[in-house]
Amino acid sequence: MLRSPLGLRLVRALLAGRPQKPHHYVSADFFLEMARGAYASHARPVVWSNIFVPSELFWGLGIVPFFPETWAGLAASMGLSALGVSQSAALGYPVDLCTVHRSAAGLWASHLFPRMDAGVATSHICDIAGQMISNFAFTEGKPFFLLDVPQSNDGAAVDYVAAQLERLIEHWREALGISFDTDRLREAIRLSNQARALALEVASLREAQPAPLRGSGMRDQLAMLTAMFGHPSGIRYYQALRDYTARRVADGQPEQAHQRVRLYWMHLMPYFESALLSVLEDELGGAIAWEEISTLWWDELDEREPLRSLARKIVSLFFNGPIQRRTEMALRLIRRYHCQGAIHFSHWGCRQSAGALYVLRARLRREGVPLLVLDGDCIDPSNLQLGPLRTRIEAFMEMLA
Amino acid sequence: MSISDAGKPIVGLLSAFVPRELLFALGCIPVRMFPTAAKPTAAEAYLPRNFCALTRNLLASFLEEKPPVQAVIFTDEDDSLRRLQDVWAECVPVPIWGSLEVPRTDDAIAIRYFASGLTRLARQLELHTNEVLTARRLRAAISLYNQQRRLLLSLKASWLNGTLPTPLYRRLCRLGLTEHPQSANEVLQNQIDSLSASADAPGVAGDANGSAMRLLLIAELAAPAALVRQLESQGARVVAEVSDLDELSVMQMVAETGETVDELLIALAEAYLAKTPAPRVRAPSRRLAYLTQLARERAVDAVICACSKFCDLPLAEYPLLKADMERIGIPVLLLELEDETLSGQHRTRVEAFLETVRAHG
């Protein structure tokens, strides 16, 4: 369906018929435009990437990015994860690997992904993301570029990554035949900064009590943060979200009526239909005031130094480097949003996120913030056992209340 | 460690990318850490149960056995080591003397960045050891380890021609990684002398007639000794081991010609980043080309991947490896191991695999 212009129009019509919020129309249009560029058009090269290569780079170079991780999440929301996971097993991927990447591999093997002209990935978090894209590129006979990202967040690390970004552009010029127009990249940086300013307004509005937005409705934020910046849709999206949030605050009409306890949600959420979050929000009054993945982590980009700015954005990611960066950010956000507790959703197979939970828990405990760790899966419904998780959430909420 | 060097701190390494030359030049005795705990149970309070088994076993070894090291050096090689470093300070009473960022590429930019990381590591170590890194000391250390590389290459030749048994060769490789380099070199030299003295003796590896099935093992740190024993007891012969113990160790000679510390650190950076590609470099074409070439050179009949359970990088590589090897007629078996032992199920799978390979001869 995605490969034909007619099919894309049909998808848009279907989406328009569903109850949507204003910003959802923008995001749907944005992702459909991406899909059109990737599936149905050959006008621009399609580069497969992990989600932490800055989107400004793609939009500023006239490249259509395709993020297998994001599309695996989208497929899960459409009930396609079983297909992805089973097909990846047929390819030989061991079952202990992260289901996001296994599902992506299975969807690729099922020919549900678009063409690939090249691959690129950063190395700094999630080992397997880059490896899977390099696997896809190898199998498709396409070039792959690894951006090696140090754990440090200092000037030397920025220089090192910026030098690689220069080489990456040179590599794409040769491999994809793109032309590099500095002004166009600067324009992407300007668009990114404008979207960033709006996203920061949303973040401020969400400090309100009661929380204006449902946390469960923000599960798509990582996709927005990692794909939209540098594209005009980013501005439209965050404008719509800002206006929507402001109205909810002004009218005193939060999306979630029953709010007893304010929570900070860490890592991902199930992308498929699950009662987990409705139990937390609607039955128990847990209000997710902020999600870790909604956090805009980078400073304003400097259009005079576009590549250094993007390098800085890459290395400053809160998942990069020692766990202290993540825990200190969590504490700042917990205070800012007046959260009484935190929940970490430990997605099966995600070593980078769950690996240092011991340290995270100890640090939050020292600050008097209780942490609940929920082991589950954001892609595979069969790996999310609602019964035991519900019991744990209930006990946690009782303690906090 | 059989020979102690009075007063010198023993520093544990968790990666093949930390140049031992640098530590030795600064008055430390670098030793590669191997898991000694029977089970990773002790680590489960600190790391998730679905975390790289090798990493959990290493942590459990420090928690249970308290290896005689005064400090450790970390690298940022993969998610497992990064998260292990995070929990380390909370649960292991062995200080971290340094953390080294290891690039995944080996171009000029990466070499410069790695060399600057080595300089920072040297500064950190100087604070702990009260030693000063000089070109003379670093050159001497490089020379010592180059000597070890030459000795090990000579022993590898003996292993490959069947005059040195696999278990002994592996023990010598491990000794090179875990002992004082001078004493290790003496042992290695003695072994070479003893092989020369018995040069007329028949082959001892049991495959003088060349009929044994020839196996390539792929592992991270080292294939379990129990696996090698089982394979050889069933008439197979390990002819290559792509792990930190053997093929993934730095076997390229490091240039000793640099006149300054900086020049010598660049030489170390070049040699360490140029080592045989592992999955961490995300370069499947290079990696598979290397593995298939090795398989052909050593006339390999089959491949066994002895991966640590939940160790993402080698596991994610497996489907490509399997497809590539099978394309050239070499079957592949994947074993996901929790620790150094082999379960009954693993043994059965190995037996069945060997039988299948033989049957398809």
Side-chain angles (χ1 to χ4, degrees), chain B residues 307-350:
Chain B
C307 296
S308 298
K309 199 165 173 62
F310 307 117
C311 192
D312 284 343
L313 287 169
L315 291 177
E317 175 192 67
Y318 171 71
L320 294 191
L321 171 72
K322 183 176 167 63
D324 217 48
M325 286 292 173
E326 289 181 349
R327 193 173 46 78
I328 56 171
I330 298 177
V332 184
L333 172 69
L334 172 66
L335 298 174
E336 293 178 75
L337 302 168
E338 281 276 10
D339 48 47
E340 287 293 291
T341 59
L342 288 187
S343 67
Q345 192 187 26
H346 287 136
R347 288 179 186 282
T348 307
R349 290 188 61 213
V350 170

mmCIF file of all heavy atoms in Angstrom, chain B residues 307-350:
data_model
loop_
_atom_site.group_PDB
_atom_site.id
_atom_site.type_symbol
_atom_site.label_atom_id
_atom_site.label_comp_id
_atom_site.label_asym_id
_atom_site.label_seq_id
_atom_site.Cartn_x
_atom_site.Cartn_y
_atom_site.Cartn_z
ATOM 1 N N CYS B 307 29.000 -18.240 21.794
ATOM 2 C CA CYS B 307 28.719 -16.867 22.238
ATOM 3 C C CYS B 307 28.192 -16.865 23.668
ATOM 4 O O CYS B 307 27.511 -17.793 24.091
ATOM 5 C CB CYS B 307 27.658 -16.232 21.350
ATOM 6 S SG CYS B 307 28.166 -16.042 19.657
ATOM 7 N N SER B 308 28.495 -15.787 24.353
ATOM 8 C CA SER B 308 27.893 -15.602 25.670
ATOM 9 C C SER B 308 26.426 -15.256 25.468
ATOM 10 O O SER B 308 26.082 -14.456 24.591
ATOM 11 C CB SER B 308 28.556 -14.452 26.412
ATOM 12 O OG SER B 308 29.905 -14.747 26.620
ATOM 13 N N LYS B 309 25.602 -15.858 26.299
ATOM 14 C CA LYS B 309 24.170 -15.570 26.201
ATOM 15 C C LYS B 309 23.936 -14.081 26.461
ATOM 16 O O LYS B 309 24.592 -13.493 27.314
ATOM 17 C CB LYS B 309 23.422 -16.428 27.225
ATOM 18 C CG LYS B 309 21.944 -16.566 26.939
ATOM 19 C CD LYS B 309 21.344 -17.695 27.764
ATOM 20 C CE LYS B 309 19.838 -17.751 27.635
ATOM 21 N NZ LYS B 309 19.370 -18.001 26.269
ATOM 22 N N PHE B 310 23.037 -13.525 25.725
ATOM 23 C CA PHE B 310 22.637 -12.110 25.828
ATOM 24 C C PHE B 310 23.752 -11.137 25.403
ATOM 25 O O PHE B 310 23.711 -9.972 25.748
ATOM 26 C CB PHE B 310 22.186 -11.747 27.251
ATOM 27 C CG PHE B 310 21.119 -12.636 27.812
ATOM 28 C CD1 PHE B 310 21.343 -13.410 28.937
ATOM 29 C CD2 PHE B 310 19.867 -12.682 27.205
ATOM 30 C CE1 PHE B 310 20.353 -14.225 29.454
ATOM 31 C CE2 PHE B 310 18.868 -13.496 27.717
ATOM 32 C CZ PHE B 310 19.113 -14.280 28.852
ATOM 33 N N CYS B 311 24.742 -11.645 24.706
ATOM 34 C CA CYS B 311 25.808 -10.763 24.227
ATOM 35 C C CYS B 311 25.422 -10.328 22.802
ATOM 36 O O CYS B 311 25.546 -11.098 21.850
ATOM 37 C CB CYS B 311 27.138 -11.500 24.241
ATOM 38 S SG CYS B 311 28.519 -10.404 24.011
ATOM 39 N N ASP B 312 24.946 -9.097 22.684
ATOM 40 C CA ASP B 312 24.246 -8.674 21.478
ATOM 41 C C ASP B 312 25.081 -8.699 20.207
ATOM 42 O O ASP B 312 24.623 -9.164 19.166
ATOM 43 C CB ASP B 312 23.708 -7.249 21.668
ATOM 44 C CG ASP B 312 22.470 -7.231 22.542
ATOM 45 O OD1 ASP B 312 21.854 -8.296 22.727
ATOM 46 O OD2 ASP B 312 22.124 -6.146 23.050
ATOM 47 N N LEU B 313 26.285 -8.153 20.270
ATOM 48 C CA LEU B 313 27.022 -7.951 19.024
ATOM 49 C C LEU B 313 27.303 -9.255 18.277
ATOM 50 O O LEU B 313 26.983 -9.357 17.093
ATOM 51 C CB LEU B 313 28.300 -7.158 19.291
ATOM 52 C CG LEU B 313 28.069 -5.670 19.593
ATOM 53 C CD1 LEU B 313 29.336 -5.005 20.117
ATOM 54 C CD2 LEU B 313 27.581 -4.932 18.362
ATOM 55 N N PRO B 314 27.869 -10.270 18.933
ATOM 56 C CA PRO B 314 28.075 -11.506 18.181
ATOM 57 C C PRO B 314 26.781 -12.209 17.809
ATOM 58 O O PRO B 314 26.696 -12.838 16.752
ATOM 59 C CB PRO B 314 28.922 -12.372 19.124
ATOM 60 C CG PRO B 314 28.806 -11.760 20.461
ATOM 61 C CD PRO B 314 28.481 -10.320 20.263
ATOM 62 N N LEU B 315 25.765 -12.072 18.662
ATOM 63 C CA LEU B 315 24.503 -12.747 18.351
ATOM 64 C C LEU B 315 23.830 -12.103 17.134
ATOM 65 O O LEU B 315 23.247 -12.789 16.301
ATOM 66 C CB LEU B 315 23.552 -12.701 19.555
ATOM 67 C CG LEU B 315 23.981 -13.566 20.760
ATOM 68 C CD1 LEU B 315 23.015 -13.382 21.924
ATOM 69 C CD2 LEU B 315 24.053 -15.043 20.382
ATOM 70 N N ALA B 316 23.932 -10.785 17.043
ATOM 71 C CA ALA B 316 23.312 -10.108 15.899
ATOM 72 C C ALA B 316 24.103 -10.355 14.617
ATOM 73 O O ALA B 316 23.581 -10.203 13.519
ATOM 74 C CB ALA B 316 23.205 -8.613 16.169
ATOM 75 N N GLU B 317 25.353 -10.720 14.757
ATOM 76 C CA GLU B 317 26.165 -11.026 13.584
ATOM 77 C C GLU B 317 25.854 -12.420 13.034
ATOM 78 O O GLU B 317 26.066 -12.702 11.847
ATOM 79 C CB GLU B 317 27.656 -10.954 13.975
ATOM 80 C CG GLU B 317 28.602 -11.374 12.891
ATOM 81 C CD GLU B 317 30.021 -11.558 13.420
ATOM 82 O OE1 GLU B 317 30.280 -12.476 14.229
ATOM 83 O OE2 GLU B 317 30.877 -10.758 13.011
ATOM 84 N N TYR B 318 25.361 -13.285 13.907
ATOM 85 C CA TYR B 318 25.259 -14.707 13.591
ATOM 86 C C TYR B 318 24.525 -15.021 12.275
ATOM 87 O O TYR B 318 25.027 -15.820 11.468
ATOM 88 C CB TYR B 318 24.633 -15.455 14.779
ATOM 89 C CG TYR B 318 24.291 -16.869 14.469
ATOM 90 C CD1 TYR B 318 25.293 -17.816 14.295
ATOM 91 C CD2 TYR B 318 22.967 -17.270 14.299
ATOM 92 C CE1 TYR B 318 24.982 -19.123 13.967
ATOM 93 C CE2 TYR B 318 22.652 -18.562 13.974
ATOM 94 C CZ TYR B 318 23.657 -19.490 13.810
ATOM 95 O OH TYR B 318 23.336 -20.767 13.482
ATOM 96 N N PRO B 319 23.346 -14.428 12.021
ATOM 97 C CA PRO B 319 22.656 -14.808 10.779
ATOM 98 C C PRO B 319 23.496 -14.563 9.522
ATOM 99 O O PRO B 319 23.480 -15.383 8.595
ATOM 100 C CB PRO B 319 21.404 -13.919 10.784
ATOM 101 C CG PRO B 319 21.177 -13.587 12.205
ATOM 102 C CD PRO B 319 22.544 -13.483 12.818
ATOM 103 N N LEU B 320 24.246 -13.447 9.500
ATOM 104 C CA LEU B 320 25.086 -13.163 8.328
ATOM 105 C C LEU B 320 26.222 -14.173 8.226
ATOM 106 O O LEU B 320 26.553 -14.669 7.153
ATOM 107 C CB LEU B 320 25.695 -11.762 8.418
ATOM 108 C CG LEU B 320 24.786 -10.554 8.344
ATOM 109 C CD1 LEU B 320 25.623 -9.286 8.176
ATOM 110 C CD2 LEU B 320 23.806 -10.677 7.214
ATOM 111 N N LEU B 321 26.819 -14.421 9.380
ATOM 112 C CA LEU B 321 27.939 -15.364 9.419
ATOM 113 C C LEU B 321 27.496 -16.742 8.923
ATOM 114 O O LEU B 321 28.169 -17.374 8.097
ATOM 115 C CB LEU B 321 28.455 -15.439 10.866
ATOM 116 C CG LEU B 321 29.462 -16.521 11.160
ATOM 117 C CD1 LEU B 321 30.801 -16.175 10.535
ATOM 118 C CD2 LEU B 321 29.634 -16.713 12.656
ATOM 119 N N LYS B 322 26.365 -17.168 9.426
ATOM 120 C CA LYS B 322 25.854 -18.494 9.059
ATOM 121 C C LYS B 322 25.604 -18.548 7.547
ATOM 122 O O LYS B 322 26.028 -19.493 6.876
ATOM 123 C CB LYS B 322 24.555 -18.758 9.832
ATOM 124 C CG LYS B 322 23.932 -20.113 9.619
ATOM 125 C CD LYS B 322 22.712 -20.264 10.525
ATOM 126 C CE LYS B 322 21.851 -21.446 10.155
ATOM 127 N NZ LYS B 322 22.540 -22.738 10.304
ATOM 128 N N ALA B 323 24.940 -17.511 7.033
ATOM 129 C CA ALA B 323 24.629 -17.501 5.599
ATOM 130 C C ALA B 323 25.914 -17.490 4.775
ATOM 131 O O ALA B 323 26.030 -18.205 3.772
ATOM 132 C CB ALA B 323 23.772 -16.283 5.277
ATOM 133 N N ASP B 324 26.888 -16.701 5.207
ATOM 134 C CA ASP B 324 28.118 -16.563 4.436
ATOM 135 C C ASP B 324 28.924 -17.859 4.442
ATOM 136 O O ASP B 324 29.476 -18.270 3.417
ATOM 137 C CB ASP B 324 28.952 -15.421 5.037
ATOM 138 C CG ASP B 324 29.659 -14.623 3.970
ATOM 139 O OD1 ASP B 324 28.990 -14.245 2.989
ATOM 140 O OD2 ASP B 324 30.871 -14.401 4.101
ATOM 141 N N MET B 325 29.004 -18.478 5.608
ATOM 142 C CA MET B 325 29.764 -19.732 5.697
ATOM 143 C C MET B 325 29.061 -20.841 4.927
ATOM 144 O O MET B 325 29.714 -21.628 4.221
ATOM 145 C CB MET B 325 29.926 -20.135 7.171
ATOM 146 C CG MET B 325 30.915 -19.293 7.926
ATOM 147 S SD MET B 325 32.604 -19.586 7.325
ATOM 148 C CE MET B 325 33.500 -18.342 8.204
ATOM 149 N N GLU B 326 27.769 -20.913 5.063
ATOM 150 C CA GLU B 326 27.052 -21.996 4.379
ATOM 151 C C GLU B 326 27.126 -21.816 2.852
ATOM 152 O O GLU B 326 27.081 -22.796 2.113
ATOM 153 C CB GLU B 326 25.611 -22.065 4.887
ATOM 154 C CG GLU B 326 25.602 -22.611 6.320
ATOM 155 C CD GLU B 326 24.238 -22.759 6.943
ATOM 156 O OE1 GLU B 326 23.251 -22.260 6.369
ATOM 157 O OE2 GLU B 326 24.153 -23.370 8.015
ATOM 158 N N ARG B 327 27.260 -20.569 2.435
ATOM 159 C CA ARG B 327 27.416 -20.310 1.002
ATOM 160 C C ARG B 327 28.681 -20.979 0.453
ATOM 161 O O ARG B 327 28.722 -21.392 -0.702
ATOM 162 C CB ARG B 327 27.498 -18.791 0.791
ATOM 163 C CG ARG B 327 27.349 -18.317 -0.631
ATOM 164 C CD ARG B 327 27.272 -16.787 -0.676
ATOM 165 N NE ARG B 327 28.271 -16.129 0.152
ATOM 166 C CZ ARG B 327 29.547 -15.966 -0.172
ATOM 167 N NH1 ARG B 327 29.969 -16.432 -1.307
ATOM 168 N NH2 ARG B 327 30.391 -15.356 0.632
ATOM 169 N N ILE B 328 29.699 -21.104 1.327
ATOM 170 C CA ILE B 328 30.921 -21.773 0.856
ATOM 171 C C ILE B 328 31.004 -23.196 1.415
ATOM 172 O O ILE B 328 32.075 -23.791 1.509
ATOM 173 C CB ILE B 328 32.191 -20.959 1.212
ATOM 174 C CG1 ILE B 328 32.280 -20.670 2.722
ATOM 175 C CG2 ILE B 328 32.256 -19.678 0.421
ATOM 176 C CD1 ILE B 328 33.612 -20.070 3.146
ATOM 177 N N GLY B 329 29.847 -23.704 1.831
ATOM 178 C CA GLY B 329 29.760 -25.112 2.212
ATOM 179 C C GLY B 329 30.256 -25.434 3.603
ATOM 180 O O GLY B 329 30.608 -26.580 3.895
ATOM 181 N N ILE B 330 30.295 -24.453 4.477
ATOM 182 C CA ILE B 330 30.767 -24.708 5.849
ATOM 183 C C ILE B 330 29.596 -24.530 6.810
ATOM 184 O O ILE B 330 29.061 -23.427 6.947
ATOM 185 C CB ILE B 330 31.918 -23.743 6.220
ATOM 186 C CG1 ILE B 330 33.108 -23.980 5.294
ATOM 187 C CG2 ILE B 330 32.322 -23.916 7.673
ATOM 188 C CD1 ILE B 330 34.274 -23.034 5.525
ATOM 189 N N PRO B 331 29.189 -25.605 7.480
ATOM 190 C CA PRO B 331 28.065 -25.487 8.421
ATOM 191 C C PRO B 331 28.473 -24.764 9.709
ATOM 192 O O PRO B 331 29.646 -24.772 10.090
ATOM 193 C CB PRO B 331 27.688 -26.939 8.715
ATOM 194 C CG PRO B 331 28.895 -27.733 8.386
ATOM 195 C CD PRO B 331 29.688 -26.965 7.371
ATOM 196 N N VAL B 332 27.479 -24.142 10.343
ATOM 197 C CA VAL B 332 27.750 -23.339 11.541
ATOM 198 C C VAL B 332 26.801 -23.756 12.660
ATOM 199 O O VAL B 332 25.604 -23.955 12.432
ATOM 200 C CB VAL B 332 27.537 -21.835 11.258
ATOM 201 C CG1 VAL B 332 27.902 -20.991 12.476
ATOM 202 C CG2 VAL B 332 28.350 -21.384 10.053
ATOM 203 N N LEU B 333 27.336 -23.863 13.852
ATOM 204 C CA LEU B 333 26.518 -24.146 15.038
ATOM 205 C C LEU B 333 26.638 -22.964 15.993
ATOM 206 O O LEU B 333 27.738 -22.478 16.253
ATOM 207 C CB LEU B 333 27.031 -25.421 15.737
ATOM 208 C CG LEU B 333 26.381 -25.733 17.094
ATOM 209 C CD1 LEU B 333 24.926 -26.149 16.929
ATOM 210 C CD2 LEU B 333 27.152 -26.840 17.825
ATOM 211 N N LEU B 334 25.497 -22.535 16.522
ATOM 212 C CA LEU B 334 25.505 -21.468 17.529
ATOM 213 C C LEU B 334 25.225 -22.056 18.900
ATOM 214 O O LEU B 334 24.223 -22.745 19.105
ATOM 215 C CB LEU B 334 24.429 -20.423 17.207
ATOM 216 C CG LEU B 334 24.204 -19.345 18.283
ATOM 217 C CD1 LEU B 334 25.424 -18.440 18.442
ATOM 218 C CD2 LEU B 334 22.967 -18.500 17.951
ATOM 219 N N LEU B 335 26.134 -21.780 19.833
ATOM 220 C CA LEU B 335 25.910 -22.143 21.237
ATOM 221 C C LEU B 335 25.831 -20.850 22.034
ATOM 222 O O LEU B 335 26.722 -20.014 21.934
ATOM 223 C CB LEU B 335 27.075 -22.981 21.778
ATOM 224 C CG LEU B 335 27.332 -24.328 21.121
ATOM 225 C CD1 LEU B 335 28.618 -24.936 21.693
ATOM 226 C CD2 LEU B 335 26.157 -25.278 21.345
ATOM 227 N N GLU B 336 24.769 -20.680 22.788
ATOM 228 C CA GLU B 336 24.659 -19.504 23.658
ATOM 229 C C GLU B 336 24.946 -19.975 25.084
ATOM 230 O O GLU B 336 24.177 -20.757 25.644
ATOM 231 C CB GLU B 336 23.269 -18.890 23.547
ATOM 232 C CG GLU B 336 23.018 -18.286 22.182
ATOM 233 C CD GLU B 336 21.622 -17.721 22.036
ATOM 234 O OE1 GLU B 336 21.354 -16.652 22.587
ATOM 235 O OE2 GLU B 336 20.798 -18.385 21.390
ATOM 236 N N LEU B 337 26.045 -19.514 25.632
ATOM 237 C CA LEU B 337 26.556 -20.086 26.879
ATOM 238 C C LEU B 337 26.355 -19.139 28.050
ATOM 239 O O LEU B 337 26.599 -17.937 27.944
ATOM 240 C CB LEU B 337 28.050 -20.396 26.713
ATOM 241 C CG LEU B 337 28.370 -21.350 25.550
ATOM 242 C CD1 LEU B 337 29.864 -21.375 25.269
ATOM 243 C CD2 LEU B 337 27.869 -22.756 25.862
ATOM 244 N N GLU B 338 25.961 -19.719 29.167
ATOM 245 C CA GLU B 338 25.754 -18.920 30.389
ATOM 246 C C GLU B 338 27.050 -18.742 31.162
ATOM 247 O O GLU B 338 27.217 -17.803 31.914
ATOM 248 C CB GLU B 338 24.734 -19.610 31.297
ATOM 249 C CG GLU B 338 23.295 -19.417 30.874
ATOM 250 C CD GLU B 338 22.697 -18.108 31.374
ATOM 251 O OE1 GLU B 338 23.441 -17.262 31.899
ATOM 252 O OE2 GLU B 338 21.480 -17.941 31.218
ATOM 253 N N ASP B 339 27.953 -19.728 31.025
ATOM 254 C CA ASP B 339 29.208 -19.671 31.780
ATOM 255 C C ASP B 339 30.233 -20.572 31.098
ATOM 256 O O ASP B 339 30.059 -20.943 29.939
ATOM 257 C CB ASP B 339 28.965 -20.066 33.245
ATOM 258 C CG ASP B 339 28.157 -21.349 33.352
ATOM 259 O OD1 ASP B 339 28.496 -22.304 32.644
ATOM 260 O OD2 ASP B 339 27.174 -21.381 34.113
ATOM 261 N N GLU B 340 31.252 -20.937 31.835
ATOM 262 C CA GLU B 340 32.351 -21.714 31.255
ATOM 263 C C GLU B 340 31.995 -23.181 31.065
ATOM 264 O O GLU B 340 32.708 -23.905 30.383
ATOM 265 C CB GLU B 340 33.579 -21.624 32.169
ATOM 266 C CG GLU B 340 34.265 -20.274 32.138
ATOM 267 C CD GLU B 340 34.913 -19.978 30.804
ATOM 268 O OE1 GLU B 340 35.895 -20.628 30.467
ATOM 269 O OE2 GLU B 340 34.397 -19.099 30.079
ATOM 270 N N THR B 341 30.926 -23.608 31.690
ATOM 271 C CA THR B 341 30.585 -25.031 31.613
ATOM 272 C C THR B 341 29.673 -25.281 30.421
ATOM 273 O O THR B 341 29.072 -24.356 29.884
ATOM 274 C CB THR B 341 29.872 -25.483 32.891
ATOM 275 O OG1 THR B 341 28.693 -24.693 33.043
ATOM 276 C CG2 THR B 341 30.763 -25.316 34.101
ATOM 277 N N LEU B 342 29.573 -26.546 30.041
ATOM 278 C CA LEU B 342 28.657 -26.922 28.978
ATOM 279 C C LEU B 342 27.533 -27.734 29.602
ATOM 280 O O LEU B 342 27.781 -28.696 30.325
ATOM 281 C CB LEU B 342 29.361 -27.799 27.945
ATOM 282 C CG LEU B 342 30.384 -27.159 27.019
ATOM 283 C CD1 LEU B 342 30.827 -28.171 25.977
ATOM 284 C CD2 LEU B 342 29.839 -25.925 26.348
ATOM 285 N N SER B 343 26.321 -27.353 29.324
ATOM 286 C CA SER B 343 25.194 -28.125 29.847
ATOM 287 C C SER B 343 25.058 -29.408 29.034
ATOM 288 O O SER B 343 25.652 -29.551 27.951
ATOM 289 C CB SER B 343 23.911 -27.305 29.727
ATOM 290 O OG SER B 343 23.605 -27.140 28.359
ATOM 291 N N GLY B 344 24.253 -30.320 29.553
ATOM 292 C CA GLY B 344 23.992 -31.560 28.823
ATOM 293 C C GLY B 344 23.419 -31.268 27.451
ATOM 294 O O GLY B 344 23.775 -31.909 26.450
ATOM 295 N N GLN B 345 22.537 -30.279 27.404
ATOM 296 C CA GLN B 345 21.920 -29.930 26.126
ATOM 297 C C GLN B 345 22.977 -29.420 25.133
ATOM 298 O O GLN B 345 22.958 -29.785 23.957
ATOM 299 C CB GLN B 345 20.870 -28.855 26.375
ATOM 300 C CG GLN B 345 19.970 -28.628 25.197
ATOM 301 C CD GLN B 345 19.038 -27.445 25.412
ATOM 302 O OE1 GLN B 345 19.337 -26.517 26.165
ATOM 303 N NE2 GLN B 345 17.903 -27.479 24.757
ATOM 304 N N HIS B 346 23.886 -28.597 25.646
ATOM 305 C CA HIS B 346 24.955 -28.103 24.759
ATOM 306 C C HIS B 346 25.792 -29.263 24.235
ATOM 307 O O HIS B 346 26.127 -29.307 23.044
ATOM 308 C CB HIS B 346 25.868 -27.133 25.525
ATOM 309 C CG HIS B 346 25.232 -25.799 25.777
ATOM 310 N ND1 HIS B 346 25.312 -25.161 26.997
ATOM 311 C CD2 HIS B 346 24.489 -24.995 24.986
ATOM 312 C CE1 HIS B 346 24.660 -24.015 26.929
ATOM 313 N NE2 HIS B 346 24.159 -23.888 25.730
ATOM 314 N N ARG B 347 26.135 -30.172 25.129
ATOM 315 C CA ARG B 347 26.964 -31.312 24.709
ATOM 316 C C ARG B 347 26.258 -32.130 23.626
ATOM 317 O O ARG B 347 26.873 -32.564 22.646
ATOM 318 C CB ARG B 347 27.289 -32.199 25.916
ATOM 319 C CG ARG B 347 28.283 -31.553 26.859
ATOM 320 C CD ARG B 347 28.590 -32.437 28.068
ATOM 321 N NE ARG B 347 29.424 -31.711 29.005
ATOM 322 C CZ ARG B 347 30.732 -31.520 28.861
ATOM 323 N NH1 ARG B 347 31.355 -32.055 27.835
ATOM 324 N NH2 ARG B 347 31.406 -30.820 29.745
ATOM 325 N N THR B 348 24.972 -32.349 23.850
ATOM 326 C CA THR B 348 24.207 -33.131 22.877
ATOM 327 C C THR B 348 24.188 -32.421 21.527
ATOM 328 O O THR B 348 24.345 -33.049 20.470
ATOM 329 C CB THR B 348 22.758 -33.319 23.381
ATOM 330 O OG1 THR B 348 22.822 -33.860 24.689
ATOM 331 C CG2 THR B 348 21.964 -34.235 22.470
ATOM 332 N N ARG B 349 24.005 -31.099 21.560
ATOM 333 C CA ARG B 349 23.958 -30.355 20.303
ATOM 334 C C ARG B 349 25.304 -30.410 19.587
ATOM 335 O O ARG B 349 25.361 -30.543 18.361
ATOM 336 C CB ARG B 349 23.550 -28.896 20.570
ATOM 337 C CG ARG B 349 22.090 -28.755 20.994
ATOM 338 C CD ARG B 349 21.684 -27.313 21.062
ATOM 339 N NE ARG B 349 21.811 -26.662 19.776
ATOM 340 C CZ ARG B 349 22.132 -25.382 19.608
ATOM 341 N NH1 ARG B 349 22.361 -24.621 20.662
ATOM 342 N NH2 ARG B 349 22.231 -24.867 18.410
ATOM 343 N N VAL B 350 26.366 -30.333 20.374
ATOM 344 C CA VAL B 350 27.708 -30.401 19.760
ATOM 345 C C VAL B 350 27.907 -31.777 19.117
ATOM 346 O O VAL B 350 28.360 -31.883 17.962
ATOM 347 C CB VAL B 350 28.800 -30.119 20.817
ATOM 348 C CG1 VAL B 350 30.187 -30.429 20.270
ATOM 349 C CG2 VAL B 350 28.730 -28.660 21.274
#
